[in-house]
Amino acid sequence: MVPGAVLRGVTLDCADPQTLADFYGALTGMRELFSTDEFVALTDDSGCDLGFQRVDGYRAPQWPGQDVPQQFHLDFRADDLDAMEELALELGAAKPDHQPGDGRWRVLLDPAGHPFCLTSS
C-alpha cells in the first residue's frame, strides 16, 4: 500500500509576493509564516499554507478568455457571500462581468489577476 499524499500548500506565481500575501491574509485571516523579496508564505491551523512567489515577466490570467489560461483557481466558502464579496473588493479584488453559476458562486480576480471563487456551500 502506498501512503497517501497530504496537500501541504499551494503557491501562486505573481509579480509582487508581499502585496498578494497581504490581500489573501486580510481575506482569510491567515498569518505570515515566512517572507523574502521572492517568496511569502501564509499559514493557519488548517495544515495547508498559501505561498506567493515572484516570477519575472509575470502575465496575469485572462478571465474568462484563455489567451493567458487561468491554470487553476482557489475556492473559498463564506457564510455571507455579500459581505465577503464586499471585503474582497475593498481589499483590491475586481469583479469581472462574466459570472457563471447562476449566483451559486461569485468569481473575483485577486490583485495579480488570478480568478478565485466565493461560495456559500
Side-chain angles (χ1 to χ4, degrees):
M1 176 185 256
V2 176
V6 175
L7 182 62
R8 176 67 180 92
V10 176
T11 298
L12 284 74
D13 293 348
C14 60
D16 185 346
Q18 190 63 62
T19 295
L20 207 53
D22 291 345
F23 170 80
Y24 280 107
L27 186 70
T28 65
M30 295 177 83
R31 64 189 178 282
E32 194 170 288
L33 174 66
F34 176 81
S35 176
T36 69
D37 289 341
E38 301 300 315
F39 183 83
V40 179
L42 299 178
T43 193
D44 60 12
D45 296 327
S46 71
C48 186
D49 298 340
L50 273 178
F52 309 93
Q53 67 184 0
R54 182 181 312 281
V55 171
D56 292 333
Y58 171 76
R59 293 177 55 206
Q62 301 300 304
W63 171 261
Q66 294 297 307
D67 291 335
V68 180
Q70 66 180 5
Q71 300 171 4
F72 74 95
H73 69 267
L74 300 172
D75 291 333
F76 296 98
R77 185 179 60 242
D79 292 332
D80 184 333
L81 278 178
D82 292 332
M84 187 57 69
E85 178 182 329
E86 183 178 331
L87 173 63
L89 294 171
E90 288 172 6
L91 293 170
K95 185 173 182 180
D97 291 335
H98 181 67
Q99 292 291 317
D102 298 323
R104 291 176 293 169
W105 62 82
R106 315 239 175 108
V107 178
L108 299 174
L109 306 176
D110 71 19
H114 302 108
F116 68 95
C117 294
L118 301 175
T119 181
S120 59
S121 58

